[in-house]
Amino acid sequence: MENCIFCKIARKEIPANKIYEDKDILAFNDINPAAPVHFLLIPKLHIDSLIDVQDIHQSLLGKMLSLAPQLAKEQGCENGFRTIINTGPAGGQEIFHLHFHIIGGREHLPGMIHTG
């Protein structure tokens, strides 16, 4: 997508603090981190959101999921991390390019869902 900020980062039109890149995937630090470790893992292929994933994307998503723990450990998340995929407006997605948030670096992250 021409105006997608993550596509522009993947095309190197916008700088990012990259931590990993191959022909299919890019990982870079979040510009507004929620924890000591907070990076985004994106496919270079533009997919709007998880709701738009199709069978042809299985190997790409599998590659992303298997890469996530490796990168998290390299970034210092030895005791675990949180993986978040916000999907659609109701799911809190702000950038409509599929991306995984990998968050960690603390002893224990706060809970995510509050009841009340």
Side-chain angles (χ1 to χ4, degrees), residues 20-26 41-44 57-71 100:
Y20 177 85
E21 182 174 16
D22 68 21
K23 68 181 182 67
D24 301 312
I25 298 169
L26 180 64
L41 191 57
I42 69 165
K44 289 184 175 179
H57 302 123
Q58 280 183 339
S59 65
L60 176 61
L61 268 63
K63 183 177 179 182
M64 291 175 69
L65 283 172
S66 67
L67 184 60
Q70 173 191 330
L71 295 178
F100 301 177

Side-chain angles (χ1 to χ4, degrees), residues 3 5-6 11 16 19 27 29-31 34-35 39 56 67-68 77-80 83-85 89 94 99 109 111 115:
N3 292 323
I5 190 167
F6 288 171
R11 292 191 305 258
I19 61 170
N29 288 313
D30 193 293
I31 61 169
F39 63 90
I56 62 170
L67 184 60
C77 299
E78 293 295 327
N79 294 320
T83 306
I84 301 170
I85 305 172
E94 296 177 0
H99 58 285
L109 292 168
T115 58

Side-chain angles (χ1 to χ4, degrees), residues 74-103:
E74 288 174 5
Q75 297 301 306
C77 299
E78 293 295 327
N79 294 320
F81 57 94
R82 181 171 290 153
T83 306
I84 301 170
I85 305 172
N86 296 321
T87 304
Q93 186 175 2
E94 296 177 0
I95 309 265
F96 286 85
H97 182 122
L98 177 65
H99 58 285
F100 301 177
H101 291 263
I102 309 298
I103 300 170

